[in-house]
Amino acid sequence: MRIAIIASLLLFGLTRAVATINVVTTTQDLASIARAVGGSRVSVSSIVTGARDPHFIEARPSYMSRVASANLFIAIGLDLEVGYERPILDGSRNRRVAIGQPGHLYASAGCLILDRRTDVSRADGDVHPHGNPHIWLDPYNARQMAWNIRGALIRVDPAGRDDYEKNALAFLDRVDRAMFGAALVDRFGTSTLWTWSQDGRLMQRLRENGAAAQLSGWAGKMAPAAGQAIISYHRSWIYFANRFGLQVVAELEPKPGIEPTPGHLASVVEIARSRNVKAIVQEPFYSRGAADFVAGRTQAKVLVLPGSVGHTPVATDYFKLMDVIVDSVSSALR
Amino acid sequence: MTVPIQSIVAGAAMALSGATAEPPEPQDPQPSQPAKNVFNPQMSIVTDFRGILIDNHGEKEWKLNELEFGFAADVDPFLRAEAYISVHKSGHHHHEEGMEEGLDEYEIEIEEAFGVYSGLGGGWQVKLGKFAGAVGRIQRNHIDQLNFLDYPFVIQDLFGDHGLRAPGVHASYLFPGQQFLELTLEAVQAEDGPLFEHAKLDKPVWIGRLRTFFDFSEDLSAQLGGSILTGPRDEDRATVFGLDYTMKWQPGQKGQSAVFEAEAYWANSNEPGFSSTFGAFAALTYQVAPRVFLTGRFDYSELPGTSDVRRGFGGNVTYRLSEFQLLRLELMRITSNFDDPRTVLTFQFQYLIGAHPAHKY
Ligand SMILES: [Zn+2]
């Protein structure tokens, strides 16, 4: 009897170990979405931890060991991880997750991409030719990334197809309801709502349909702020701004990846005054000096916000991240 | 901008409402790239310009110290190739003054040119070509990855000014498990240097290296490595043991970091009259502001086959305006058994164009 129990425990443990799909992501946002889509079939870890700039990660050897046993490696792409992705993948010697293999995914595929450029020069700072890589603060892109992750998980673990389909659709539904509120999702369907949002005419269409009062969720909280100007430290908030109708009128960095200079900050102060900017948003890993400088000379308020899951203790998953951002930006722009 | 939003959203909505149609895969599975450059290698050029502002043993001069061209590309799905070609001032040995007098020639050196197979499976990686030997950590870095002007004295005095770069074969094995542990074996035909001489394909310098890595916390990490080299020294053999330790404090907050690098080498030979030598290097680099780094360095090196000892104390301040350029002022005081102390103040201006540099540990 005891032997049987031990044997079944061992067997159970063994099958569990075999079934667990090991996923390594670059950012914590990707990890959060991968956990939602993968559910109990996957174990997920991210390379970026805590509040760190995802551009400036070093290819630590420990990451190579972690990726060595990965079934799936997920990066944002768009050169966000250009400094460390390849050294980590090569160092891991894991051919399953090499670029182009089924176990490798650029989650930005098919996402709405802003700042695409036909010609790039480093005179414009550390810009990325394929577009701005900070795509995840647009919930539309989050659902697209979830859909891509679902596809990649099915590739590496076909037996889990049903789970991944179900989890991915549940994630999309949760995003949709968090974005627009349950009432509108049930009334118009997500396709219509996202199309209106994409065209920048969500409020107009809702009014035409006498449904403006039903708008809730992130879009509902942000709606009164539409059209307002904000300033960000890095060009990492344009997807959020684009989705919710805000305008990023200046960045504290003179160019992406270049530290603020006094001359540039002086011009930012001018812009903040003339455009009536009420909020300066920045991730917690930047020093507050530049933002405080501008805020001290204008009516703008400094919002140190998580730009990714894990940047602050409350931003434990994608939904909490967006909740925190939406709550504080909408109240600052009130 | 064409985004397949309708199709995706419609598909998802249908699936949610019970219809069987699935949301389709995105139409644009990879970020679109400018097609004209796809098959060109990634290219970078590092320009290293220096001014010797003070040197009580030599001339004050401006010099274009080095241009380093780097190329990297995938050859095919199996092989990645890298090449580094350096154009630098010829015949400059810091400890052999007068050598470069009147020489204003540049020499072209292929520092590295190799193909590497990383997808062999089973944890193996194989490299063929000319490459930096798996000796310590610092000498495998290129000039744009150093926190100081030049390679440690002990590296220069054992392996040559540019370290040990030689044609040969490399195989390395990454042990499975969460703890990083990597074993490297190399057989290289090292050029005649201060220590190894007359290496050939069938009489190579053998290199073995083991390195491991520790994440003490999210912010604090360290790498520990040990290297063993054995190879011909004329008709005899020479052997080197090396230890290297690197520790980095990298909090998430921008503009804060500290790096400690130290390496030590013991060299021996059965050549008659050769007394064993020891050399070591340590440097601490502290980021005092987002763009400003302070480095203190210490060098000690017993020159093989001689009774000379070089010692160096110094430090630098480095101003990094962006990831792609730096301005540095390094002051070194160098003593040797056979010479008066030398004091050198060097200004360095270095910039990189082309491909984004790799963020190596
Ligand atoms: Zn960025």
Side-chain angles (χ1 to χ4, degrees):
Chain A
M1 181 63 191
R2 243 166 73 184
I3 289 166
I5 290 172
I6 291 168
S8 63
L9 277 175
L10 274 174
L11 265 173
F12 181 71
L14 223 64
T15 44
R16 286 286 303 171
V18 169
T20 300
I21 299 298
N22 188 356
V23 180
V24 178
T25 69
T26 54
T27 70
Q28 297 163 97
D29 312 285
L30 289 171
S32 169
I33 299 172
R35 277 187 198 106
V37 176
S40 57
R41 296 185 72 89
V42 303
S43 110
V44 183
S45 71
S46 67
I47 281 169
V48 184
T49 54
R52 257 160 235 280
D53 184 341
H55 293 291
F56 291 96
I57 298 298
E58 276 188 359
R60 288 187 185 180
S62 52
Y63 302 152
M64 299 169 190
S65 284
R66 218 181 322 149
V67 174
S69 57
N71 303 92
L72 177 61
F73 180 86
I74 309 172
I76 293 283
L78 303 170
D79 281 355
L80 178 74
E81 301 96 344
V82 65
Y84 51 97
E85 181 192 16
R86 194 63 202 252
I88 291 172
L89 291 178
D90 288 349
S92 80
R93 299 147 166 89
N94 180 349
R95 61 186 155 187
R96 289 186 304 238
V97 300
I99 293 167
Q101 293 300 308
H104 182 277
L105 174 70
Y106 283 130
S108 57
C111 284
L112 168 72
I113 306 297
L114 301 174
D115 287 351
R116 260 194 225 269
R117 320 171 65 116
T118 46
D119 65 318
V120 286
S121 160
R122 293 243 170 84
D124 297 323
D126 192 10
V127 291
H128 308 298
H130 316 308
N132 184 313
H134 300 273
I135 56 171
W136 54 90
L137 292 185
D138 180 346
Y140 172 77
N141 282 344
R143 70 202 302 292
Q144 173 68 39
M145 291 192 282
W147 197 246
N148 296 341
I149 289 170
R150 159 210 154 272
L153 282 170
I154 292 172
R155 281 202 307 266
V156 300
D157 179 27
R161 171 181 280 272
D162 291 350
D163 283 355
Y164 301 138
E165 298 278 10
K166 183 175 61 103
N167 295 342
L169 290 172
F171 182 86
L172 301 197
D173 186 50
R174 196 173 161 201
V175 171
D176 297 339
R177 283 163 199 274
M179 178 72 181
F180 301 109
L184 288 184
V185 171
D186 292 338
R187 180 166 167 193
F188 294 102
T190 53
S191 170
T192 306
L193 292 170
W194 281 111
T195 306
W196 289 348
S197 170
Q198 195 62 34
D199 296 344
R201 284 191 225 138
L202 179 66
M203 280 315 286
Q204 188 192 327
R205 294 283 186 236
L206 290 176
R207 273 189 220 105
E208 287 165 10
N209 287 281
Q214 280 182 293
L215 180 66
S216 63
W218 299 327
K221 283 183 181 163
M222 289 300 297
Q228 290 219 42
I230 61 166
I231 287 170
S232 66
Y233 189 102
H234 181 65
R235 201 163 168 72
S236 46
W237 293 84
I238 60 162
Y239 289 92
F240 179 80
N242 175 65
R243 179 58 57 192
F244 296 104
L246 308 178
Q247 290 178 50
V248 182
V249 292
E251 275 111 28
L252 299 178
E253 288 181 333
K255 302 280 184 188
I258 308 293
E259 295 284 330
T261 57
H264 176 70
L265 290 183
S267 73
V268 173
V269 168
E270 286 310 306
I271 294 170
R273 284 182 185 145
S274 69
R275 301 296 302 270
N276 194 23
V277 170
K278 290 190 204 150
I280 302 169
V281 290
Q282 69 168 59
E283 290 84 348
F285 45 77
Y286 295 116
S287 96
R288 271 189 68 132
D292 285 338
F293 176 89
V294 176
R297 285 156 183 79
T298 64
Q299 53 154 343
K301 200 176 145 196
V302 181
L303 305 179
V304 178
L305 295 175
S308 272
V309 172
H311 278 184
T312 60
V314 278
T316 49
D317 68 15
Y318 187 76
F319 296 95
K320 299 223 174 70
L321 169 74
M322 291 303 297
D323 284 345
V324 170
I325 295 171
V326 164
D327 284 349
S328 72
V329 172
S330 62
S331 62
L333 298 184
R334 193 164 289 146
Chain B
M1 188 164 303
T2 56
V3 182
I5 166 169
Q6 271 89 352
S7 54
I8 291 163
V9 186
M14 283 168 71
L16 274 176
S17 58
T20 48
E22 293 176 355
E25 288 282 344
Q27 301 298 303
D28 179 19
Q30 296 294 324
S32 63
Q33 306 203 0
K36 58 182 177 183
N37 286 328
V38 155
F39 296 118
N40 289 346
Q42 287 188 310
M43 195 167 76
S44 64
I45 304 171
V46 178
T47 303
D48 188 63
F49 180 74
R50 296 182 185 188
I52 313 295
L53 307 181
I54 296 171
D55 185 352
N56 62 344
H57 281 216
E59 294 287 316
K60 293 174 187 171
E61 58 168 357
W62 290 116
K63 61 176 179 183
L64 184 58
N65 184 58
E66 183 169 354
L67 273 183
E68 190 189 75
F69 300 83
F71 305 87
D74 291 317
V75 177
D76 56 28
F78 316 104
L79 182 66
R80 181 164 179 84
E82 293 183 28
Y84 301 91
I85 297 161
S86 160
V87 181
H88 53 84
K89 284 266 192 184
S90 60
H92 68 121
H93 286 253
H94 303 282
H95 50 288
E96 294 173 40
E97 303 131 37
M99 276 282 289
E100 69 265 48
E101 224 68 77
L103 273 177
D104 199 25
E105 297 290 314
Y106 284 89
E107 61 186 28
I108 297 175
E109 190 181 358
I110 300 172
E111 296 205 333
E112 295 189 84
F114 58 81
V116 55
Y117 296 94
S118 296
L120 297 171
W124 287 95
Q125 187 175 67
V126 167
K127 216 190 266 185
L128 279 167
K130 182 177 180 182
F131 48 82
V135 183
R137 174 179 150 276
I138 295 167
Q139 78 103 22
R140 302 165 87 185
N141 286 338
H142 290 261
I143 49 166
D144 58 313
Q145 293 159 332
L146 301 179
N147 288 322
F148 21 81
L149 283 176
D150 294 301
Y151 293 108
F153 290 1
V154 59
I155 295 291
Q156 296 181 33
D157 294 344
L158 289 180
F159 309 114
D161 279 359
H162 294 261
L164 195 149
R165 275 137 215 265
V169 289
H170 158 117
S172 65
Y173 176 70
L174 177 65
F175 287 86
Q178 292 296 296
Q179 176 61 42
F180 177 88
L181 185 64
E182 182 193 58
L183 177 71
T184 303
L185 291 170
E186 295 177 342
V188 299
Q189 188 181 305
E191 274 174 45
D192 286 0
L195 189 65
F196 297 112
E197 294 169 311
H198 300 140
K200 298 191 184 69
L201 184 147
D202 55 353
K203 210 170 107 183
V205 175
W206 292 95
I207 304 173
R209 174 166 167 81
L210 193 65
R211 68 168 171 144
T212 187
F213 187 86
F214 307 97
D215 281 304
F216 298 121
S217 71
E218 278 180 11
D219 299 349
L220 189 66
S221 59
Q223 177 177 287
L224 175 66
S227 312
I228 300 177
L229 296 86
T230 178
R233 178 176 171 81
D234 229 340
E235 293 309 308
D236 303 287
R237 288 200 82 70
T239 305
V240 178
F241 296 95
L243 273 180
D244 57 277
Y245 185 72
T246 306
M247 195 163 184
K248 294 192 181 187
W249 175 67
Q250 298 162 306
Q253 193 68 24
K254 302 275 281 182
Q256 293 181 353
S257 69
V259 178
F260 174 73
E261 303 162 84
E263 303 198 350
Y265 294 90
W266 294 263
N268 215 331
S269 171
N270 55 5
E271 183 184 74
F274 188 102
S275 53
S276 62
T277 68
F278 171 74
F281 170 83
L284 179 66
T285 299
Y286 185 71
Q287 189 174 14
V288 291
R291 295 171 179 165
V292 186
F293 299 76
L294 292 181
T295 297
R297 68 177 273 188
F298 161 76
D299 278 275
Y300 177 88
S301 175
E302 299 167 359
L303 275 72
T306 76
S307 54
D308 198 4
V309 176
R310 284 210 289 163
R311 288 182 183 82
F313 290 97
N316 69 53
V317 54
T318 303
Y319 183 75
R320 292 181 188 268
L321 197 49
S322 74
E323 233 191 313
F324 307 98
Q325 66 159 300
L326 66 83
L327 299 162
R328 177 176 284 152
L329 205 55
E330 182 165 301
L331 179 69
M332 281 296 284
R333 182 163 169 88
I334 304 156
T335 63
S336 110
N337 282 358
F338 300 114
D339 233 329
D340 297 333
R342 181 179 177 193
T343 303
V344 193
L345 179 67
T346 309
F347 165 78
Q348 183 187 32
F349 171 47
Q350 193 185 75
Y351 57 86
L352 177 148
I353 54 177
H356 195 109
H359 300 167
K360 286 171 69 175
Y361 187 82

